[in-house]
Amino acid sequence: MPNDPGLRSAAESVPLDWEAVRSYLAANGHRLDADIPRQFAGGLANLNYLIHFDGQPAVLRRPPMGELPAGAYDMAREFRILSRLPDALPFIARGLHLCDDPSIIGQRFQIIEYRPGLVIRERMPADLAHRPEVGARLSKVMLETIAAIHAVDTKAVGLDDLGRPEGFLARAVSGWSKRGLAAKEDGTGALHHDIGTWLERNIVPDGPPGLLHNDFKLNNMILDPDDFSPRAVVDWDQGTRGDPLFDFATLLTYWIHAGDPQPMHDMEQMPAVEACLCSRQEAVAEYARISGRDVSDFLFYRVLAMYKLAVIFLQLGLRYRTGATTEPRYAPLTGIGTGILEFTREIAQGRAF
């Protein structure tokens, strides 16, 4: 295996039944080489392992341990996207194999083409931090890449029946409100009520549908180390079709400013300040220019995406509170989620963007 700092040691990797995987693959005409797979260090949810599959580096990907929310971490959906989307976008790593039998390792899993490159996680590499020219380039790459995803002709790649674009925003408001109440921390009911009521009163008509990643951000990109062009966009298990402005607004939830509340910094999802990325306002204007989309109602999308972000952190925090995981990284997530909720209400009330 490559000596990659983005990999956990064998002892730190969450164990899987690799003999069961090897036997399953052999029965299906594939080979898992005898080296010890190691888990990638990034991410709080899906588990990803660097393996050798049929003699080539590849990634085995499975959902997190424990009970999963209905419809979440859908390996079959992601595999379908990854087996077709590379025909339209060269920066998509191709899906190689789907195991649809959860009895092998306790959940369905998939195997994906491995694309080496630079992954920028919660911290910028020291030689790239605080360099405005790097931030300008990364801003441009992210905005151009997400716009290219939204511009895909889904019919041409056989994904025109993915998701349900009609009524997408109404379902998003309803769905995230229900998930938020199910995962809320005690004493925060009023926050959820205020945000949910605002979203219901300010909902806008669905825009023209497009392909959505649904969690596009810097650490879900694998970059060329020299020019930062995208070698891969990963983590497609939430992929669907719907209003692209919601997908873009999801990216902006990670695009923090120096003056944002502390929980926005504590979530450590994208080092926007260290990276010297452009401002959120500049990003909205540039995305509108690249995509040609009308952003006059963007505040609604911004609030909805921020609420989604808060709920995701609360859901992950709930896994720790209920004992589904004992990983220390999960311990502060409920507090971060609640802090993001408070910031979301400020955005809805016009005190922030």
Side-chain angles (χ1 to χ4, degrees):
M1 289 291 174
N3 183 18
D4 185 339
L7 293 170
R8 298 184 182 188
S9 69
E12 294 170 328
S13 297
V14 176
L16 295 185
D17 188 344
W18 292 110
E19 285 307 313
V21 173
R22 184 172 285 107
S23 297
Y24 162 81
L25 290 176
N28 285 272
H30 298 289
R31 184 177 82 252
L32 177 67
D33 290 354
D35 50 17
I36 300 174
R38 287 168 55 191
Q39 185 182 352
F40 286 94
L44 285 164
N46 291 296
L47 308 179
N48 301 290
Y49 299 83
L50 182 59
I51 65 172
H52 270 82
F53 174 75
D54 293 340
Q56 297 294 326
V59 177
L60 185 145
R61 178 169 167 83
R62 61 145 291 162
M65 302 295 184
E67 187 176 350
L68 304 179
Y73 311 111
D74 191 333
M75 295 293 103
R77 171 189 287 261
E78 182 171 30
F79 181 77
R80 182 185 175 209
I81 294 170
L82 295 180
S83 62
R84 302 186 184 192
L85 192 52
D87 294 337
L89 297 174
F91 52 77
I92 302 299
R94 189 173 295 277
L96 302 175
H97 182 81
L98 172 69
C99 174
D100 207 28
D101 181 355
S103 71
I104 305 301
I105 58 171
Q107 287 287 350
R108 295 170 176 83
F109 67 87
Q110 59 181 308
I111 296 173
I112 305 167
E113 178 188 5
Y114 172 62
R115 297 275 184 95
L118 171 67
V119 178
I120 299 175
R121 296 187 173 91
E122 65 274 9
R123 295 282 182 269
M124 284 292 287
D127 61 329
L128 299 179
H130 307 297
R131 289 173 54 184
E133 75 280 10
V134 171
R137 174 61 180 159
L138 289 174
S139 300
K140 178 180 174 66
V141 166
M142 280 190 286
L143 295 171
E144 289 180 345
T145 302
I146 195 171
I149 290 169
H150 295 162
V152 166
D153 181 347
T154 52
K155 185 174 183 179
V157 294
L159 294 173
D160 54 317
D161 61 345
L162 183 69
R164 292 181 295 148
E166 187 175 350
F168 176 84
L169 293 176
R171 286 196 310 277
V173 170
S174 173
W176 287 109
S177 295
K178 289 176 182 176
R179 294 182 196 107
L181 290 173
K184 70 179 177 67
E185 187 180 23
D186 291 345
T188 62
L191 269 174
H192 288 272
H193 175 268
D194 290 350
I195 296 167
T197 299
W198 188 95
L199 289 168
E200 290 172 358
R201 290 176 177 171
N202 290 276
I203 193 167
V204 299
D206 289 298
L211 179 67
L212 313 188
H213 180 279
N214 258 334
D215 196 28
F216 182 88
K217 57 188 175 190
L218 190 56
N219 67 0
N220 278 332
M221 300 182 73
I222 299 171
L223 305 171
D224 184 296
D226 296 322
D227 65 3
F228 308 123
S229 59
R231 289 184 175 176
V233 173
V234 301
D235 206 1
W236 281 89
D237 59 296
Q238 299 178 63
T240 189
R241 287 187 310 141
D243 191 327
L245 285 178
F246 179 54
D247 202 26
F248 172 60
T250 296
L251 167 62
L252 280 208
T253 64
Y254 306 114
W255 204 295
I256 61 171
H257 288 175
D260 286 346
Q262 190 60 41
M264 296 296 294
H265 298 269
D266 291 343
M267 67 178 178
E268 296 187 330
Q269 291 292 296
M270 200 167 87
V273 176
E274 260 189 294
C276 297
L277 298 184
C278 68
S279 71
R280 287 191 289 259
Q281 292 87 345
E282 290 169 333
V284 171
E286 181 63 8
Y287 174 81
R289 185 192 68 78
I290 296 169
S291 67
R293 296 183 185 272
D294 180 5
V295 296
S296 55
D297 291 322
F298 191 71
L299 179 60
F300 167 79
Y301 297 92
R302 171 86 171 127
V303 174
L304 176 57
M306 285 293 296
Y307 186 55
K308 168 190 169 183
L309 178 69
V311 172
I312 289 171
F313 272 87
L314 291 171
Q315 287 177 323
L316 292 169
L318 183 64
R319 297 187 70 234
Y320 187 85
R321 301 198 311 268
T322 58
T325 180
T326 57
E327 275 206 56
R329 293 185 304 160
Y330 284 73
L333 300 187
T334 293
I336 292 172
T338 301
I340 295 171
L341 271 182
E342 293 170 348
F343 188 42
T344 302
R345 185 166 61 181
E346 290 187 10
I347 295 169
Q349 293 173 341
R351 293 199 294 265
F353 178 79

